Amino acid sequence: MNLYIEIENGAAKNHPAYENNLLQAFNSIPSHWESFIRVERPKLTVYQVLDNPEPVYAKVNDVWTDVWLVREMTAEEKTAKQQAIRNDFNDREQAENWSAWTLDEATCTMQPPIPRPAPDQTKLDAGIGTFWCGADSNWKDSPARPVDDNQYKFDFLAWQWVQITS
């Protein structure tokens, strides 16, 4: 559907309206309404932020449109984001199991020293997962998951499933 936005003194006024709504209200598109093109919120890279969660309306190449104010993070913001990732990673239960993992600054994700092997569907079907074993500094198959898996969690230090007790 076509959109239009009301213009007053060269500036957008209010929000865009559907063409059909304007036609119903005015029987034509009023002269102070101009064509508007909706632009979806951009997908941000790991170190970009929106200065405003809402777009501003601006005329770009003679067409009114959404303009999203995206900027690169400052050095301080990047450092804070990286530190928050490290803190969250290290504050989890049994975090010492993953002490060999490091932050990949390009993706801002924690990475193992050895890439994870491809999933083995036969093992997955049998309830066997492949997890990082900090004691061995390698990927290792777990014992089969108990049938009633909602009552168990994996203990990475003991390398076994343990029943959850409340």
Side-chain angles (χ1 to χ4, degrees):
M1 298 195 115
N2 294 328
L3 290 170
Y4 288 84
I5 194 160
E6 186 175 11
I7 305 303
E8 185 176 278
N9 298 323
K13 180 180 176 184
N14 299 319
H15 297 285
Y18 288 110
E19 180 178 44
N20 287 348
N21 291 349
L22 294 173
L23 292 173
Q24 287 176 359
F26 304 111
N27 291 325
S28 66
I29 306 299
S31 62
H32 62 286
W33 286 76
E34 295 185 23
S35 183
F36 183 90
I37 296 178
R38 178 68 70 202
V39 175
E40 294 297 317
R41 180 182 175 143
K43 184 163 177 60
L44 302 176
T45 64
V46 69
Y47 294 117
Q48 288 181 325
V49 292
L50 285 174
D51 269 343
N52 188 329
E54 298 295 325
V56 296
Y57 302 139
K59 197 166 192 176
V60 178
N61 297 327
D62 290 328
V63 177
W64 287 93
T65 185
D66 292 311
V67 175
W68 296 91
L69 304 176
V70 177
R71 67 171 176 80
E72 298 297 318
M73 287 184 175
T74 64
E76 293 81 16
E77 288 171 320
K78 286 181 186 178
T79 300
K81 181 174 184 167
Q82 292 168 353
Q83 191 58 51
I85 295 293
R86 286 187 191 99
N87 291 348
D88 289 347
F89 192 79
N90 292 327
D91 288 346
R92 354 183 242 141
E93 185 178 1
Q94 300 183 15
E96 58 271 21
N97 183 64
W98 295 274
S99 63
W101 290 38
T102 57
L103 180 75
D104 176 353
E105 291 183 4
T107 62
C108 204
T109 58
M110 298 301 289
Q111 296 294 318
I114 301 167
R116 185 182 186 135
D120 180 331
Q121 193 58 50
T122 303
K123 289 180 186 178
L124 292 172
D125 291 344
I128 298 170
T130 302
F131 298 116
W132 179 256
C133 177
D136 294 346
S137 292
N138 208 341
W139 295 96
K140 186 174 174 180
D141 291 340
S142 70
R145 182 181 291 247
V147 175
D148 190 6
D149 64 359
N150 289 335
Q151 295 181 16
Y152 290 85
K153 68 178 182 176
F154 196 73
D155 184 326
F156 291 94
L157 304 177
W159 206 257
Q160 65 184 4
W161 292 97
V162 294
Q163 192 164 16
I164 298 170
T165 55
S166 299

